[in-house]
Amino acid sequence: MNKIAVVGAGISGLSMANYLEKHTIDYHIYERRRKEDLAGHGFLIPHEGMDYLSQIIDRSQLLENGSFLKKYIQYSHTGKILAEKELDHVFAISRHSLINLLTQNISPEKISYEETVTPCDKEKGRLKKSDGTYIDADIAIISDGSKSRIRRDLFKDEKMRQVRENEVVNIIHNKEIADSIENDFMKFHHEEGGLTFGILKLSHDTILWYSQFDNEKYNIGEYTTEDLRSYMLEIFTEWDPLVTSILNKSTYENIHLWCVYELENLNPFYKDNIVFIGDAAHPLIPFTSQGVTSALKDSAALTKHLVNEKITTEAFSKYEAERKPEVEIHIHNGRTLLNQFLLPLNQQSPNILPISYK
């Protein structure tokens, strides 16, 4: 097997590296951010994603760092229960914990941080580092996120648009609050639509919380950390006491403001010797809760075809053919869930689970 360059050390890139490790395939990861640059947010991972994750991380380690959620409970913003639904082994884990677990199997010598990689203008299919030197690799696997610079460079006519939703995500360490709630996925909705507050218990003392905003109703643009804290407390003043308590007792140093983007139409998943995985191949609206699972399935499928096929383009083609139909289902489901979110509660379809299934 030829040497592989993996661009991006997020969930997609590290998942890919772990699958390559299983097959003793040579690779190196290039990440533009600092190693310590870990924003305080996390993920929901459905049952299928956990099956894939368990192939590369010991399941007992996963359980030490996150928790399975029993049911999804939908509330009005004042705390009235609107719907309940049992969950089938849906797992909650912080990004920081998952990144650490995925990194533990990778030798430090195989990851270069603070290294920006770009395509070479003169030589098709080659990548270069920020100092202008070429990367020595026969295959490049790109996992540099939903706003991938390399994807934009290769597919210059692509159309990227901002979704009508922004998301604020944070983690609070507070045993008293954690003790007061069950291991459930709790989500509070404003009656007028376009504003939610979600709560996920990660452990005995850690809670992940997030808020989704209709960005046409709520101006949540360039805020300092303190401004964002004040804004959140103002917007959620009259919400259920659990929501206001979490907001008041949180620290905001690692809060993450996420502006969501999507492609109007998917590009091909590869070009020449460059192939895309995860959000770099197919940005998913966060309502799907399928980002991690899709990244894991991309990594597993691509590794399988690279191992089984002698011709690289044939491996890429089979990977795309396997993954693209399912991804398109999640894109459709994500847009449907987004449209529901924007509606007043009395116009939303009942008992909608905020997870996309194929």
Side-chain angles (χ1 to χ4, degrees), residues 17-34:
N18 275 268
Y19 276 105
L20 294 174
E21 283 282 344
K22 285 187 65 176
H23 292 271
T24 62
I25 297 172
D26 191 19
Y27 68 90
H28 192 88
I29 304 174
Y30 300 88
E31 169 57 52
R32 66 181 176 83
R33 295 180 296 183
R34 293 180 293 107

Side-chain angles (χ1 to χ4, degrees), residues 60-67 91-94 97-98 101 202-203:
S60 64
Q61 290 186 307
L62 289 168
L63 296 179
E64 289 173 4
N65 287 272
S67 64
F91 192 71
I93 189 170
S94 73
S97 295
L98 187 52
L101 289 172
L202 300 180
S203 70

Side-chain angles (χ1 to χ4, degrees), residues 269-270 275 297-298 300-325:
F269 285 10
Y270 66 96
V275 61
K297 296 182 76 172
D298 286 356
L302 179 55
T303 303
K304 174 183 67 178
H305 295 303
L306 286 172
V307 169
N308 292 337
E309 300 297 330
K310 294 181 179 179
I311 301 173
T312 299
T313 53
E314 186 67 18
F316 289 175
S317 177
K318 289 188 174 182
Y319 153 68
E320 181 181 278
E322 178 177 338
R323 295 293 301 133
K324 198 168 187 178

